[in-house]
Amino acid sequence: MVKHQPLQQVYEKQLCLSFLTGIYGCRWKRYQRSHDNSSKWECAWFIILCSTFSLLLFWAYFWLEAHNDYNQFNWLLYNRSGEWKDGTVPILATTAVGFSYITFLMILALCHISLGQQLNLYWIHKISVLAAMITTVSGVVSISDVWGDEWDIILISLQSTGPFLHIGALAAVTALGWLVAGHVIRAGRTKFHLIVLLVYLSVLLVLYMAPLAITSPCIMDRNSLKPRPDVIGRRGAPMLAPENTLMSFNKALQQGVSSLEADVSVSLDGVPFLMRDRTLRRTTNIAKVFPDKQHEDASLFNWTEIRSLNAGQWFLESDPYWTVGSLTGRDRNRMGNLTVCSLVEMLRLTARANRSALLNLHRPPPEHPHYKTWIMDTLWAVQRSGISQKRVTWTPDTDRGRVRGLQQTSLEKLSVEELRHRGISSLTLRYSQASNKDIQDFLVNNMSVMVYPVNEPWLYSVLWCSGVPSVSSDAPQVLRKVPYPIWLMSPYEYCLVWITSDLVSIAIVTGIFIFQKWRMSGMQNYNPEQIMLSAVTRRPSRDVNIMKEKLIFSEVSNGVTNTDEHLYPENGYDIGQYK
């Protein structure tokens, strides 16, 4: 005789699954969830999400590496707007928030795929993803317009980060093998899933062979490493004191620089003085002293007027490098009383410190009374300072015949033959112009190369391995802490790392596919009726959970239409118990 007794089966609260489906698609209840295949519309949104994540990853990497040139970016914004502000702060803040948000959604989507849950991105998330994509694309277009040359830093940075990014990408794609294997084996040999498998294996193959395309000067024998490049204080140490002031140059000398670099203009009465900008608005208090003349060219003021301006208070008020908080009270007092520095003062300081000087001259406008004699005015200042002419490097191409006693350098990348014809023995190049091959060619032909601006340890390390003799830096206090390249690896060591990482990845991916095949085969061979009847026997909670999973998989695989409301009622359900 068969006697039916009610048995209340209560399911455990699936808090983790509720969190995943709730945050991603606002599906907090069991009956809202589904193991059905995601719709084409939701698959399209997943592709959009992946594209936005990739774009934001590229954008975030760019700004991470562009830290070397943040000062230049802010200076470009100042020249366009006329107001000094740190334009990198809102960009970095929005990038950090957007990237974190999109990354979180990506993790939730991958968890959905791993658990076999149907994708259903909530409409608020869809709007946010589109907003993130549009904002990032707009940012890329704007940077291309304002700061297009900076994109070169991505390729240059890969010389330092390439080997490590390769290992990270290989680890990420290897981990994705778990999702690909489960998805492909669960779905069977359909055309779409075979394409997915083929794409995945192709990406793996590309990553396995990627080191063949990775080049870095830091992959070299340690015995071939050249001496540490000399550091030149570009406008002194502008992160520690106002640029082109005596205090800034003194700070740079304290950091052990080999030379001092300065921007030179000529006043209305023929006195060479140090000023980077065309006007005096940014680095002096001219808006208070001469408000009607604040937009005029700096060289159209006489030396008495220029000397009356304060050249340090702006640094304390704007804190352009976020370093004012680290200043001592004594430095703050000195900084608040700084004046514009003349060329003679800077060269005398250089001579006393037994250092060299690099001069970047700005020609005055045509209406300037010294428009034709600005070269001679500068030479007279060099002679009055008492510094040896061999310690002064001349950059302008104008009137080189008059300055034969000074060291000659070119700011333009010319051929070796052209440099020799002009009597130039060194080059001053932006780091984006100096490839490793070009550097080696110039050095072989006894041409010295100085690279600017170099403010980050990774860039300094790459140039060190390239054999660059000297670099110009806004941050000598940072480079001083780099006694050795950040990383240096022999070709044999790099090949060993490459082959080992590939073999480990192959072993892991193979193991993942074998395990997923075994796991899915066990589920497909299990009879769901046995699972229902086995509920009579008391089993450990882990065994019961496994049976539930197998029952669900079997019904989905056999095309049985069971809504989650039937399989997972919120408060449980009754089944027959047979005796």
Side-chain angles (χ1 to χ4, degrees), residues 487-532:
W487 68 273
L488 193 63
M489 196 181 303
S490 68
Y492 172 78
E493 292 172 334
Y494 182 60
C495 288
L496 184 62
V497 172
W498 168 25
I499 296 174
T500 301
S501 59
D502 284 359
L503 292 177
V504 170
S505 174
I506 292 173
I508 293 176
V509 170
T510 304
I512 286 174
F513 272 81
I514 293 174
F515 177 77
Q516 288 282 40
K517 179 67 175 178
W518 171 79
R519 178 170 170 264
M520 295 301 174
S521 298
M523 289 184 177
Q524 292 170 352
N525 294 331
Y526 211 98
N527 187 350
E529 295 179 357
Q530 294 177 359
I531 301 176
M532 295 289 290

Side-chain angles (χ1 to χ4, degrees), residues 86 145 167 171 238 244 259 325 376 407 436 456 496 550 566:
D86 194 344
D145 178 51
I167 294 176
N244 283 322
S259 302
M376 296 308 300
Q407 298 296 317
N436 186 40
E456 291 295 304
L496 184 62
K550 293 179 178 179
H566 170 71

Side-chain angles (χ1 to χ4, degrees), residues 47-335:
I47 294 175
I48 294 174
L49 178 62
C50 293
S51 302
T52 305
F53 172 78
S54 301
L55 184 61
L56 270 171
L57 181 63
F58 168 80
W59 180 251
Y61 179 79
F62 167 75
W63 281 105
L64 180 66
E65 300 304 327
H67 187 267
N68 183 79
D69 301 316
Y70 282 0
N71 179 51
Q72 182 193 16
F73 177 71
N74 291 329
W75 192 64
L76 290 174
L77 293 181
Y78 168 76
N79 289 332
R80 282 176 169 252
S81 65
E83 297 294 332
W84 178 265
K85 56 184 178 181
D86 194 344
T88 63
V89 172
I91 294 176
L92 294 176
T94 53
T95 300
V97 172
F99 183 70
S100 301
Y101 172 70
I102 297 299
T103 302
F104 181 61
L105 289 182
M106 275 292 298
I107 293 174
L108 292 179
L110 294 176
C111 289
H112 273 67
I113 297 174
S114 176
L115 297 173
Q117 288 291 320
Q118 187 183 56
L119 293 173
N120 186 33
L121 187 63
Y122 194 46
W123 65 269
I124 292 180
H125 292 323
K126 293 177 180 177
I127 295 175
S128 301
V129 169
L130 282 180
M133 173 177 281
I134 294 173
T135 303
T136 307
V137 171
S138 301
V140 171
V141 173
S142 300
I143 290 299
S144 298
D145 178 51
V146 178
W147 206 23
D149 294 341
E150 190 63 19
W151 293 118
D152 294 335
I153 200 170
I154 294 179
L155 294 177
I156 296 171
S157 68
L158 291 178
Q159 297 180 28
S160 175
T161 61
F164 306 100
L165 291 179
H166 166 250
I167 294 176
L170 187 60
V173 175
T174 300
L176 284 177
W178 178 269
L179 299 182
V180 174
H183 196 60
V184 170
I185 295 174
R186 183 186 302 118
R189 297 182 179 179
T190 64
K191 183 177 180 180
F192 172 76
H193 292 92
L194 288 177
I195 293 175
V196 171
L197 179 60
L198 181 61
V199 170
Y200 174 76
L201 294 178
S202 300
V203 172
L204 266 181
L205 180 61
V206 170
L207 287 176
Y208 290 155
M209 306 305 295
L212 293 175
I214 295 176
T215 59
S216 174
C218 294
I219 301 177
M220 62 182 298
D221 292 326
R222 288 174 172 80
N223 296 331
S224 302
L225 184 65
K226 299 291 182 63
R228 186 176 185 270
D230 294 331
V231 178
I232 299 173
R234 195 166 184 242
R235 306 181 186 95
M239 294 186 180
L240 304 179
E243 63 186 50
N244 283 322
T245 62
L246 282 178
M247 185 177 181
S248 180
F249 294 124
N250 275 306
K251 291 285 187 182
L253 292 173
Q254 292 172 10
Q255 300 302 323
V257 299
S258 62
S259 302
L260 297 175
E261 180 182 353
D263 304 289
V264 183
S265 297
V266 178
S267 69
L268 197 65
D269 49 352
V271 178
F273 65 97
L274 309 185
M275 185 61 54
R276 177 190 185 187
D277 299 357
R278 186 187 65 83
T279 69
L280 299 166
R281 291 181 64 240
R282 182 175 67 91
T283 57
T284 69
N285 63 338
I286 190 173
K288 296 180 180 179
V289 181
F290 304 110
D292 297 335
K293 302 170 66 176
Q294 59 178 312
H295 295 284
E296 293 187 9
D297 195 290
S299 61
L300 297 179
F301 292 83
N302 62 51
W303 177 240
T304 302
E305 293 173 329
I306 295 173
R307 193 68 164 182
S308 67
L309 300 175
N310 185 294
Q313 193 62 37
W314 73 274
F315 189 89
L316 296 173
E317 293 174 355
S318 62
D319 195 7
Y321 298 98
W322 305 84
T323 55
V324 171
S326 62
L327 296 176
T328 64
R330 182 181 178 183
D331 283 343
R332 289 171 182 266
N333 293 333
R334 289 179 57 197
M335 201 172 291

Side-chain angles (χ1 to χ4, degrees), residues 348-365:
R348 286 175 178 171
L349 173 64
T350 305
R352 288 196 301 269
N354 198 27
R355 296 292 189 270
S356 302
L358 174 65
L359 305 181
N360 299 315
L361 272 64
H362 300 164
R363 187 167 190 170

